Amino acid sequence: MKIQIINGPNLNLLGVREKSIYGDSDFNTYLDSLKHRYPSYEISYFQSNKEGELIDKLHEVGFDYDAIILNAGAYTHTSVAIADAISAINTPVVEVHISNVHKREAFRHHSYLSAVCKGIIVGFGLDGYRLAIESFTAPVQQ
Ligand code: DQA
């Protein structure tokens, strides 16, 4: 199982940025714990503050990887181009937000990405990335 995690703008500052909203942990420490928990999965990580680089990464992995977990940060609320990239690729994408965007400012309530993603995980802190992995790897048959 090849899983790509993609984080967008300002998420390089996790552990430093607005800790009351995003928590104390930096992403690399969290990523180590995820890799430790799921040793049999190949988990890759990419972060960029640039919209075009996020799109390039979606194109690069989107025909080959089994799963993409995307937190596009503020581009979630603005980017038709990232939504189009998700539509263009074959790999399913789960949208993650660390904070519960629906408890926050109105401009965070709309996502251009949700309608083209497999699903959305919002408001569970960093644990949302683990929940996203579980959604790909351990679904209960219905
Ligand atoms: C975020 C929520 C966005 O509204 C914000 O712009 C972010 C982080 C989250 O993970 O909660 O940068 O995607």
Side-chain angles (χ1 to χ4, degrees):
M1 166 78 67
K2 283 168 78 172
I3 300 170
Q4 176 73 53
I5 297 174
I6 303 176
N7 274 344
N10 302 305
L11 293 165
N12 53 311
L13 294 182
L14 286 173
V16 175
R17 168 196 190 197
E18 298 178 279
K19 291 184 187 183
S20 60
I21 299 174
Y22 298 113
D24 289 335
S25 178
D26 67 275
F27 198 79
N28 282 322
T29 303
Y30 177 71
L31 185 64
D32 284 347
S33 69
L34 269 185
K35 287 181 173 172
H36 191 253
R37 185 180 179 114
Y38 300 105
S40 63
Y41 304 151
E42 193 183 312
I43 302 174
S44 309
Y45 177 56
F46 178 76
Q47 188 276 331
S48 177
N49 295 320
K50 300 182 184 76
E51 188 175 19
E53 289 185 0
L54 299 171
I55 291 167
D56 286 344
K57 181 53 76 172
L58 287 165
H59 293 175
E60 181 190 319
V61 300
F63 297 91
D64 180 26
Y65 278 56
D66 301 298
I68 297 173
I69 298 166
L70 172 65
N71 183 347
Y75 286 136
T76 304
H77 318 298
T78 64
S79 182
V80 175
I82 293 177
D84 282 351
I86 295 168
S87 296
I89 61 178
N90 294 339
T91 302
V93 178
V94 165
E95 175 183 348
V96 167
H97 297 287
I98 296 163
S99 64
N100 183 347
V101 285
H102 298 289
K103 280 188 185 167
R104 300 181 63 194
E105 303 95 320
F107 66 82
R108 296 185 203 276
H109 298 179
H110 177 259
S111 166
Y112 280 97
L113 313 184
S114 300
V116 290
C117 283
K118 183 178 182 210
I120 313 154
I121 296 171
V122 170
F124 291 97
L126 286 178
D127 199 37
Y129 295 86
R130 180 190 64 82
L131 293 169
I133 290 176
E134 291 290 325
S135 78
F136 284 111
T137 58
V140 174
Q141 293 302 319
Q142 2 177 341

